[in-house]
Amino acid sequence: MKTKSKIYLQYLYSVIAVSAFSTIGFASMSHSRPLNLYVSAGISDPSGELASAMEVGYHGAAKMGIQLEPRTEFLFGGEFHSMPTDHNRLPTVSSDFRAIMVGFDVKINVGIPEDPITPYLLVGGGYANIDFTDTLTQITSGNTFKADSDSQSYFELGGGFELKRAFAMIRFVNIFTEQADGRFITIGIGYKFSLGT
């Protein structure tokens, strides 16, 4: 059974997503907005219960951005994360933790417009399809992750900086699974492609 808090979070994500797309649709009809494509890759470092079974892995992401205001951008896209089993703790397990995530973010630039380095904050969420196969069923530390594929909501918070079209960022990600939360930290670098207006 899902807890009320998780049901509320999923409802909140739906409301935010509908509101955001409505805003973008209205803005697109009234004004021409700059579009950007963000492509990035980096490491995914497990935290909390995931750290008891997984090692540092990798991720790749691609997101489309539409400028809502000079300092505010709405991003939508997907990413893939893979973290290998810690064989020192689980020598008989060969499967990995994998997650395919689709969601949205609000990116807010907090730097000085004339500065070549632009720091920014990022907050967002969406849905993640996670797959541990048999990995976490063999953890003896009380981990209660569901063993199999599962689709749940996630929340992320982070920040970074841009230097012209290159960027770097760090994020905290929390996937709200049925029994426990899957937390990890991502550190990545990428490139922003301008798609015009």
Side-chain angles (χ1 to χ4, degrees):
M1 296 277 301
K2 295 179 180 178
T3 63
K4 290 184 178 180
S5 62
K6 291 177 182 176
I7 294 175
Y8 173 76
L9 281 170
Q10 292 181 356
Y11 173 76
L12 179 62
Y13 290 149
S14 300
V15 171
I16 293 174
V18 170
S19 300
F21 282 118
S22 299
T23 301
I24 291 173
F26 177 78
S28 298
M29 289 186 293
S30 57
H31 299 285
S32 181
R33 301 283 176 171
L35 293 175
N36 297 305
L37 174 63
Y38 292 84
V39 179
S40 63
I43 65 172
S44 299
D45 187 9
S47 178
E49 292 187 2
L50 274 183
S52 66
M54 302 290 112
E55 294 182 329
V56 175
Y58 66 90
H59 73 271
K63 297 187 178 183
M64 187 74 69
I66 181 170
Q67 201 80 34
L68 300 181
E69 295 179 353
R71 289 181 175 268
T72 307
E73 191 171 6
F74 179 84
L75 307 179
F76 179 81
E79 52 193 287
F80 173 78
H81 297 261
S82 178
M83 291 171 244
T85 304
D86 185 344
H87 293 293
N88 292 325
R89 298 183 181 182
L90 302 173
T92 63
V93 179
S94 60
S95 57
D96 299 339
F97 173 88
R98 296 179 293 271
I100 298 175
M101 298 162 51
V102 177
F104 59 89
D105 299 284
V106 176
K107 174 176 170 282
I108 302 174
N109 294 337
V110 295
I112 301 172
E114 294 79 14
D115 197 324
I117 299 178
T118 305
Y120 63 87
L121 300 176
L122 195 74
V123 61
Y127 282 91
N129 180 263
I130 48 183
D131 182 12
F132 342 95
T133 59
D134 64 346
T135 302
L136 299 181
T137 60
Q138 302 189 36
I139 297 177
T140 58
S141 60
N143 197 305
T144 54
F145 275 107
K146 189 177 177 183
D148 204 346
S149 294
D150 197 10
S151 295
Q152 295 294 336
S153 58
Y154 75 88
F155 169 81
E156 67 178 12
L157 178 67
F161 65 88
E162 292 184 358
L163 178 59
K164 294 185 178 180
R165 296 199 173 276
F167 65 91
M169 63 180 167
I170 181 171
R171 296 174 296 159
F172 169 78
V173 181
N174 189 8
I175 301 175
F176 302 97
T177 68
E178 291 284 351
Q179 292 86 9
D181 292 346
R183 302 184 181 98
F184 53 93
I185 295 172
T186 73
I187 301 174
I189 59 174
Y191 193 83
K192 178 174 71 173
F193 297 90
S194 177
L195 303 181
T197 57

